[in-house]
Every structure is written in structure tokens, then in C-alpha cells.
Amino acid sequence: MEVEVFVDIVRQALGLVAILVSASILPSLFVGLCVSIFQAATSINEQTLSFLPRLLVTVGGLMVGSHWGLEKLMSFFRDIIALIPQAVQ
């Protein structure tokens, strides 16, 4: 196998990691921004007010998207395992 194939596998792996991480981080970021705007508008400086909604949205996002993410990971690993005989040659 050529080096380009391994570079392509690493590129796909990093892209998959970025997609899986952003699926749980982006909703949390949006909720954190909304809570921060609410806190600035009302002058409430409570730490738990910003932490708890972000935690709940992150856990909820992980619960909802875990099946999709696991399917993406399994598909990637199936592709990697299919390339093993070519790498041995």
C-alpha cells in the first residue's frame, strides 16, 4: 500500500472525529450563548444557571445522536478492516 492510502485513512478518521464531537458540542454552545445573553440582560450572575442547561443539552444530544454516531464509527471500522489484506501485501 502506498503512503497516500494511510494519509487518506487518517484524514477520514479526523473528519469523523470532528463530526462526532461537533454533534454534541454545537448544541451546548448555542444553549450557553442563549443563557449568557439572558444573564447579561437580567444581570443574574449565577454559575449553575449557565452550567445546568448546557449539561442537560449535551447529555440529551449524546442520547439522541449515539445511535447515529455508533453507526458511523462501525462503518468506518468495517472499511478499515476491509483494507487490512491490502496493507499486508
Side-chain angles (χ1 to χ4, degrees):
M1 263 182 138
E2 297 180 10
V3 176
E4 291 84 13
V5 175
F6 291 109
V7 171
D8 189 46
I9 290 171
V10 170
R11 183 190 56 79
Q12 288 176 356
L14 289 176
L16 182 62
V17 167
I19 288 172
L20 293 176
V21 167
S22 66
S24 63
I25 295 295
L26 288 179
S28 176
L29 248 121
F30 179 71
V31 168
L33 179 67
C34 292
V35 169
S36 296
I37 291 171
F38 174 74
Q39 283 181 328
T42 60
S43 298
I44 298 175
N45 292 326
E46 181 65 32
Q47 292 296 326
T48 57
L49 183 63
S50 64
F51 177 73
L52 189 60
R54 284 187 296 157
L55 176 68
L56 293 176
V57 167
T58 303
V59 170
L62 288 173
M63 286 173 47
V64 170
S66 62
H67 177 71
W68 170 78
L70 188 59
E71 189 64 39
K72 295 285 270 185
L73 277 174
M74 287 174 47
S75 172
F76 178 71
F77 284 126
R78 280 189 206 118
D79 294 343
I80 295 294
I81 289 175
L83 289 175
I84 288 175
Q86 295 174 356
V88 173
Q89 294 177 357

